[in-house]
Amino acid sequence: MEPSVTRDLALAHGLTAEEYDRAVQALGRTPTYAELGIFSVMWSEHCSYKSSRVHLKKLPTEGRRLIQGPGENAGVVAIGDGIAAVFKMESHNHPSYVEPYQGAATGVGGILRDIFTMGARPIASLNSLRFGSLEHPRTRYLVGGVVSGIAGYGNSIGVPTVGGEIYFHPSYNGNILVNVFSLGIARLEKIHKGTASGPGNPVIYAGSKTGRDGIHGASLLASSEFDAASESKRPTVQVGDPFTEKLLLEACLEVMKSPGVVVGIQDMGAAGLTCSTVEMAARAGTGMEIDLDKVPLREEGMTPYEILLSESQERMLLVATPQTERRVREVFAKWDLDASVVGRVTDTGRVRVFFKGHQVADVPAHALVDDAPRYRRPSARPSWQEALANLDRDVIKDIEDGTKTLQALSTSLNLCSREEIYTEYDHMVRSNTVVRPGSDAAVIRLKGTKVALALTVDCNARYCHLDPAEGARLAVAEAARNLACAGAWPLGTTDCLNFGNPEKPEVMWQFERAIEGIADACRVLDAPIVGGNVSFYNETEGKGIHPTPTIAMVGFLEDVKGALTQWFRKEGDLVFLLGEPAGSLAGSEYLALLHGLEAGRPQPVDLAREKALHDLVRAVRDSGLVVSAHDCSEGGLAFALLECCITAPGAAVGAGINLEGKGRLDEILFGEAPTRVIVSAPPEARARLEQKAHAASVPVHLMGTVGGSRLTVVAGGDRVIDLEIAPARAAWRAALAGHLKS
């Protein structure tokens, strides 16, 4: 017997007293137990964006190639010849902390469904991962589970994981971040949307049967802080099956091939059947009648509440027409999947749900979506923010041995090679990966054409902690710079905004400032937001994460043969720095690792100069003047030079570098700053390269020559780094495995 609905029960479901009263007012009566479940998930932070929606409107969502912006399952941009790129990023943070393998695996499955729901075939994935300190007892377990979950799902379904990032910091001890991105390709005329139009049209449930797994999973796990009881929430994490998802993918793409067969389609992700029915009806201004007796179940005795809120994976909701209903069922039967007509579209604007002949829910769709709560929560600069900005360089001892410092940085947890992680992922399946993990951006060719897409994901959370607005600008700038270093110009951006508890004014201040920074940079760099995700409540027992507004960006190359990589290619080539050589210790990896400090204001980015640099890199690539390009970011100039020497898939190569300028050696070598790119070029290209840089008003500095078996750096007339490349490369590659095993 279902419990009677009371205010206390509503509070236990995550609604506030005011929200419960609002639900009662929308219905004109006390909700049924099923209706309480519907309101609780649809008005959860995860589904309603009630704390962020008023701020997200500030983001630029228009562009010359943008076809579909925020509001659908994924964003769409045109890339020419009637082809569209479809992409999005989502978080699966809270489920992955509770059960890392299934949390990460179902995160991958969910983002893939967002892509093929739009009618696009997924061709590449990225991920952005954050874990706590290795001193924390759960960190190694979480790393192993998350990486295995991503690999297990992505490899099995046959979509390559072509890049990503992974960082470790104590702020993630109680809340790891698992942000997953996927990109698909479709013909523009084959794009489908999640709308339930056409009263009388059949509503079809397709895919796996519904069970009790995932009830209040992503929807409510991601809408509150963790506490000491979080481990008990393990049963609410969904369980994925990539082999069923592969069948679902092929069935959906086949049924969407012919025009007019599918009117609308949406996956059943967070909040399951509830979210898909309500959102599809609300987008179209229609209603639905759903018969739960017709929903395929894999467990006996499931209640309406459980069926509606289950987050069982690999399920879709489609709207067909009376004429195409049979065709839809035939296609899914061919792929050995359930396809059951569970209801009809109506013109009432209400979602009515029946079970065993009785109505168990009758809710207005617009009240759950368009009229969901919207909050402009209090915002206040943290009292400790100003103290963070103060960095007294005079108390920081300068380095005495540049070689030892570079070795320490290159084998540190956050700068060492990620091969230990990305070799678990299949990054070559479907044979389209031109630039594999390990360069500034991955590059994927589009078969049958000469064009390619570049993909990258970036965020320096330490910068965002020190200055949320500037940190967010820097994240967008670095993503666009990475694309430029691959030879691509940006098509669009998707974000995953990971923050603490929005009910705390200092967290909302961080969020608002980050939105400001993202908006500024996306406008100037012509990289509009196509969609994304907000993940709040990344806190455990009152301790929140560093603000982490992760940025994923997709770029376009007109000719795949023009793709650049970061590593030096040929002995005798000249090494140039495009941009100013000066760096800053503020927020640097060097400062955190060697001095245990997170302080200072990150060096601000001049967005106009940043764009001029990107344009120059693409121009000298187009002119055939450079053979490699590498963004200079974490670890500073010296570490970037080392990466140019040791990251090639083939043999490593040394370089002899001579740096101009005076000042602190640690700032020269390991200071960090935006708007810097290292390029290598044949000697005969020097004059034209310098001419183009001067014409673009971009500083250019000849630093040295590629060659030999050592990286040597002279600064101020003194040799400050002298490092043998082969052992340095071996140590860099082996370091992460050593960290994780020790």
Side-chain angles (χ1 to χ4, degrees):
M1 183 176 177
E2 294 184 335
S4 299
V5 174
T6 64
R7 185 182 297 267
D8 287 342
L9 186 61
L11 295 176
H13 275 67
L15 294 174
T16 66
E18 294 78 10
E19 288 169 350
Y20 175 66
D21 291 342
R22 188 169 175 171
V24 171
Q25 184 179 13
L27 294 172
R29 54 177 169 77
T30 300
T32 66
Y33 187 52
E35 289 170 340
L36 176 63
I38 291 171
F39 274 95
S40 70
V41 293
M42 292 304 300
W43 285 4
S44 68
E45 189 70 59
H46 185 81
C47 293
S48 72
Y49 285 41
K50 57 190 174 185
S51 299
S52 61
R53 194 175 292 267
V54 295
H55 303 291
L56 296 176
K57 293 178 180 178
K58 302 172 186 175
L59 295 172
T61 57
E62 295 182 354
R64 56 194 174 94
R65 289 177 176 254
L66 199 152
I67 304 299
Q68 175 65 57
E72 263 295 339
N73 291 296
V76 182
V77 293
I79 57 178
D81 296 326
I83 303 173
V86 180
F87 56 96
K88 190 183 181 185
M89 184 162 53
E90 282 275 5
S91 64
H92 231 224
N93 304 336
H94 297 75
S96 298
Y97 185 84
V98 173
E99 210 304 300
Y101 185 93
Q102 291 296 346
T106 53
V108 174
I111 196 65
L112 292 173
R113 286 195 301 279
D114 281 340
I115 301 306
F116 68 79
T117 296
M118 300 290 293
R121 178 175 292 279
I123 63 168
S125 294
L126 303 172
N127 56 71
S128 175
L129 310 178
R130 298 292 188 279
F131 296 99
S133 164
L134 287 184
E135 282 69 48
H136 191 275
R138 279 176 59 87
T139 296
R140 287 179 174 84
Y141 161 71
L142 292 168
V143 172
V146 166
V147 172
S148 295
I150 292 170
Y153 208 102
N155 295 356
S156 297
I157 200 171
V159 177
T161 300
V162 298
E165 58 170 10
I166 176 171
Y167 287 95
F168 297 82
H169 189 276
S171 74
Y172 305 104
N173 281 348
N175 291 84
I176 65 172
L177 302 185
V178 177
N179 295 175
V180 287
F181 164 98
S182 189
L183 165 77
I185 296 297
R187 298 291 307 176
L188 281 169
E189 68 271 15
K190 298 292 178 64
I191 296 294
H192 283 67
K193 298 184 179 182
T195 58
S197 56
N201 281 337
V203 178
I204 302 174
Y205 171 116
S208 293
K209 292 178 170 60
T210 294
R212 290 187 171 91
D213 55 314
I215 295 174
H216 285 306
S219 57
L220 289 190
L221 268 182
S223 299
S224 61
E225 290 186 23
F226 276 168
D227 54 30
S230 296
E231 186 68 18
S232 66
K233 297 178 182 178
R234 184 184 298 268
T236 63
V237 176
Q238 312 92 323
V239 178
D241 179 357
F243 302 103
T244 299
E245 176 118 337
K246 173 64 173 174
L247 299 177
L248 185 64
L249 184 159
E250 299 299 342
C252 287
L253 292 182
E254 181 174 339
V255 82
M256 287 188 278
K257 273 183 179 179
S258 301
V261 174
V262 174
V263 175
I265 179 170
Q266 181 153 321
D267 77 296
M268 294 186 227
L273 183 61
T274 290
C275 189
S276 54
T277 53
V278 169
E279 286 191 345
M280 291 181 76
R283 287 193 190 109
T286 59
M288 280 192 193
E289 290 186 354
I290 300 295
D291 185 351
L292 297 183
D293 294 312
K294 296 180 179 178
V295 173
L297 305 177
R298 66 168 182 262
E299 298 185 46
E300 295 182 359
M302 289 188 70
T303 66
Y305 179 97
E306 292 173 326
I307 298 169
L308 285 166
L309 271 61
S310 167
E311 293 182 8
S312 294
Q313 297 292 285
E314 293 88 36
R315 303 180 301 159
M316 288 284 183
L317 197 70
L318 300 88
V319 173
T321 69
Q323 295 75 28
T324 61
E325 172 190 322
R326 180 177 177 181
R327 170 62 179 160
V328 172
R329 298 176 70 175
E330 288 174 347
V331 169
F332 280 92
K334 169 188 168 181
W335 292 98
D336 200 24
L337 293 170
D338 286 307
S340 175
V341 175
V342 296
R344 301 282 168 183
V345 177
T346 69
D347 60 2
T348 63
R350 305 183 71 84
V351 176
R352 302 177 67 204
V353 183
F354 298 87
F355 182 70
K356 298 190 181 303
H358 299 285
Q359 180 174 288
V360 295
D362 180 4
V363 293
H366 68 88
L368 291 160
V369 180
D370 303 319
D371 294 340
R374 301 283 185 269
Y375 298 128
R376 187 176 291 276
R377 296 195 183 275
S379 168
R381 190 171 192 259
S383 58
W384 41 260
Q385 194 74 42
E386 187 60 36
L388 272 183
N390 296 323
L391 175 62
D392 186 353
R393 296 162 57 222
D394 293 336
V395 302
I396 300 169
K397 185 179 179 182
D398 200 353
I399 59 174
E400 296 178 354
D401 190 327
T403 302
K404 286 185 178 179
T405 304
L406 179 56
Q407 288 173 318
L409 281 166
S410 66
T411 56
S412 67
L413 189 57
N414 282 332
L415 294 184
C416 65
S417 170
R418 272 43 188 148
E419 288 180 62
E420 179 75 8
I421 302 296
Y422 68 69
T423 51
E424 290 203 30
Y425 308 143
D426 188 338
H427 48 266
M428 291 303 295
V429 64
R430 304 189 69 83
S431 68
N432 291 321
T433 310
V434 176
V435 177
R436 308 176 186 184
S439 195
D440 285 319
V443 177
I444 300 291
R445 66 169 178 160
L446 302 189
K447 270 183 185 167
T449 76
K450 68 175 186 177
V451 305
L453 297 175
L455 301 76
T456 189
V457 59
D458 287 283
C459 181
N460 187 316
R462 186 182 293 118
Y463 290 168
C464 296
H465 175 59
L466 297 173
D467 186 334
E470 197 59 51
R473 286 188 199 95
L474 289 163
V476 175
E478 183 174 354
R481 197 181 317 128
N482 284 339
L483 295 185
C485 287
W489 50 266
L491 287 169
T493 305
T494 178
D495 55 34
C496 202
L497 309 177
N498 307 276
F499 288 80
N501 185 343
E503 297 166 50
K504 295 181 177 180
E506 60 269 24
V507 172
M508 280 312 300
W509 180 83
Q510 292 174 330
F511 183 79
E512 291 173 13
R513 295 283 289 160
I515 290 288
E516 173 190 315
I518 292 170
D520 289 346
C522 285
R523 286 192 183 96
V524 174
L525 300 177
D526 196 19
I529 298 291
V530 305
N533 172 252
V534 176
S535 175
F536 277 133
Y537 294 101
N538 290 288
E539 295 202 10
T540 295
E541 298 181 350
K543 296 180 180 179
I545 63 166
H546 277 1
T548 313
T550 308
I551 300 295
M553 200 175 288
V554 176
F556 180 73
L557 291 94
E558 293 182 354
D559 190 339
V560 66
K561 293 180 181 179
L564 290 173
T565 52
Q566 69 182 34
W567 45 84
F568 295 147
R569 291 182 171 271
K570 186 180 178 183
E571 296 210 11
D573 283 346
L574 301 181
V575 180
F576 296 87
L577 176 67
L578 302 179
E580 294 290 359
S584 169
L585 298 185
S588 66
E589 195 67 33
Y590 159 81
L591 191 65
L593 181 69
L594 277 299
H595 297 277
L597 292 175
E598 291 187 345
R601 285 188 172 89
Q603 187 149 318
V605 57
D606 182 320
L607 292 169
R609 292 178 59 198
E610 185 76 38
K611 188 173 189 305
L613 172 66
H614 302 179
D615 292 341
L616 173 65
V617 173
R618 287 186 286 264
V620 295
R621 185 285 314 264
D622 291 343
S623 300
L625 300 179
V626 299
V627 295
S628 73
H630 183 30
D631 160 47
C632 185
S633 55
E634 290 99 341
L637 182 58
F639 181 68
L641 286 164
L642 180 62
E643 286 185 306
C644 293
C645 293
I646 66 176
T647 54
V653 62
I657 304 297
N658 195 326
L659 299 179
E660 302 172 359
K662 297 179 181 180
R664 293 183 59 113
L665 187 57
D666 52 5
E667 283 190 338
I668 293 171
L669 296 177
F670 307 112
E672 297 174 7
T675 324
R676 300 192 295 178
V677 169
I678 298 168
V679 298
S680 62
E684 60 271 20
R686 176 180 178 178
R688 291 183 61 203
L689 173 61
E690 292 177 336
Q691 182 182 33
K692 284 185 175 291
H694 294 320
S697 298
V698 174
V700 57
H701 304 272
L702 174 62
M703 293 194 295
T705 306
V706 176
S709 60
R710 310 182 75 83
L711 171 63
T712 61
V713 179
V714 173
D718 298 322
R719 181 169 291 193
V720 295
I721 291 176
D722 189 351
L723 187 63
E724 190 174 350
I725 288 299
R729 184 191 200 190
W732 170 77
R733 294 177 69 176
L736 185 58
H739 287 302
L740 294 176
K741 290 175 183 176
S742 61

